[in-house]
Amino acid sequence: MVKARNNTLYIFAVSMQNTDVQAAFNLPDLKATTASVAGENRAIAIVNGKFLDSFGGYGVHRYEIKLADK
């Protein structure tokens, strides 16, 4: 699920099974270079509008991406 509010894009990802997953996100028109992982004190590089992340089974992650002001 993706939501946008106040120049921030929020991406919600959930593993719907009890196995580790590697999630791939493709946002081709995105100009941002990092996605912060909420509650984990880390950021993931966005390269050419794409980023990857791994998490455990039934894991829930929220990514926050700051968008440029228009």
Side-chain angles (χ1 to χ4, degrees):
M1 176 173 65
V2 178
K3 299 285 184 177
R5 183 172 188 220
N6 297 332
N7 293 329
T8 302
L9 186 69
Y10 299 93
I11 300 174
F12 300 84
V14 179
S15 172
M16 299 298 289
Q17 53 193 358
N18 192 21
T19 58
D20 293 345
V21 298
Q22 182 167 23
F25 302 89
N26 185 14
L27 305 159
D29 295 328
L30 191 67
K31 304 294 185 227
T33 58
T34 59
S36 298
V37 184
E40 294 191 18
N41 195 29
R42 66 186 178 100
I44 300 170
I46 300 171
V47 178
N48 296 324
K50 299 177 183 180
F51 69 97
L52 301 173
D53 197 19
S54 298
F55 47 94
Y58 298 116
V60 178
H61 280 187
R62 186 181 81 218
Y63 305 93
E64 299 178 5
I65 301 170
K66 299 293 181 191
L67 304 174
D69 290 330
K70 295 182 179 183

